[in-house]
Amino acid sequence: MSRFFVGPENIGLNTIVIDNKDDLHHMRRVLRLGEGDEVDVSDSVEWEYRARIVSLEDDEAQLAILDKQAFAGEPSVQVTLFQGIPKQGKMETIIQKCVELGVHEIVPVFMDRTVVKDKGNFGKKIDRWNKVSQEAVKQCRRGIIPQVREAVSMKEVLRDSDHSGRPDLFEDFDLVLFPYENEKGTTIKDALLTAANPMYQEITGNALERVAVIIGPEGGFSDAEAKAIVAGGGESVSLGKTILRTETAGMATLAMIMYELEL
């Protein structure tokens, strides 16, 4: 069943309007859909619908709602991936696979050892990466399209405007995981089991609804970055006995999180 995404404003009491030109082209020219065909539609916020095409024109499609359900394919834990920007085409692979695994959003980060430079046209890459996310979602039938946010520097990630000792971007998370090749003690399993323990949650007040994962670029983290992340509340964890590539580390971390917290 084909899936399309619209904003809540495109959904009425009994009808749905699809007016995105790319979606309309895909419906007409690629999928060869027509009146009477059924599709799945997500409002990208909370609800997904089964709908029947009533009319399909060049500028919009009118659909009749057949069924409405709350999202069934979204994880209960929202994971934000802070990804050290890799070189070449690795970011597209990272986005595609992490979207399939359930990531909520991705923030590209310029770190000390990032090779790629922003030459003033980085916004085009963000647009391309969001299209990759959109295509991955259609394949795996999720309820939302995970957003690839504007790129930030590591200094922005670690910014502490109120001098609380905890970076501003970490304030919204119940757990900040920092997979680090030099960590020899705490494993990601240890960290997740502790954070998911009801007694621990009652003591800390953290319900473990939002998790951040910070992954370094090809050259890894600088010593200064590693110290700053831990000082700001990030939990240094090991992913195992081998050293993973940057394009593998985020996927592996996300898969482990979903296994421990969702299955």
Side-chain angles (χ1 to χ4, degrees), residues 83-87 91 108-110 114-116 122 129 151-152 217-218:
Q83 174 66 51
I85 299 170
K87 55 187 178 181
M91 193 67 171
V109 184
F110 287 100
T114 298
V115 175
V116 177
F122 209 80
W129 292 342
V152 298
E218 287 92 346

Side-chain angles (χ1 to χ4, degrees), residues 82-154:
F82 291 88
Q83 174 66 51
I85 299 170
K87 55 187 178 181
Q88 299 173 342
K90 297 177 182 178
M91 193 67 171
E92 294 188 8
T93 300
I94 292 169
I95 292 166
Q96 182 187 68
K97 301 308 177 186
C98 286
V99 165
E100 291 177 17
L101 287 165
V103 75
H104 183 72
E105 62 179 357
I106 298 173
V107 182
V109 184
F110 287 100
M111 299 184 179
D112 288 345
R113 295 176 180 170
T114 298
V115 175
V116 177
K117 304 297 181 184
D118 183 359
K119 298 179 180 179
N121 61 347
F122 209 80
K124 293 182 179 179
K125 289 189 176 183
I126 300 296
D127 291 341
R128 169 59 188 159
W129 292 342
N130 274 301
K131 289 180 180 178
V132 171
S133 176
Q134 184 176 0
E135 290 304 315
V137 160
K138 290 180 179 179
Q139 184 275 327
C140 62
R141 302 179 65 79
R142 288 185 57 184
I144 67 165
I145 301 174
Q147 293 298 298
V148 181
R149 302 298 181 185
E150 293 297 322
V152 298
S153 68
M154 197 62 185

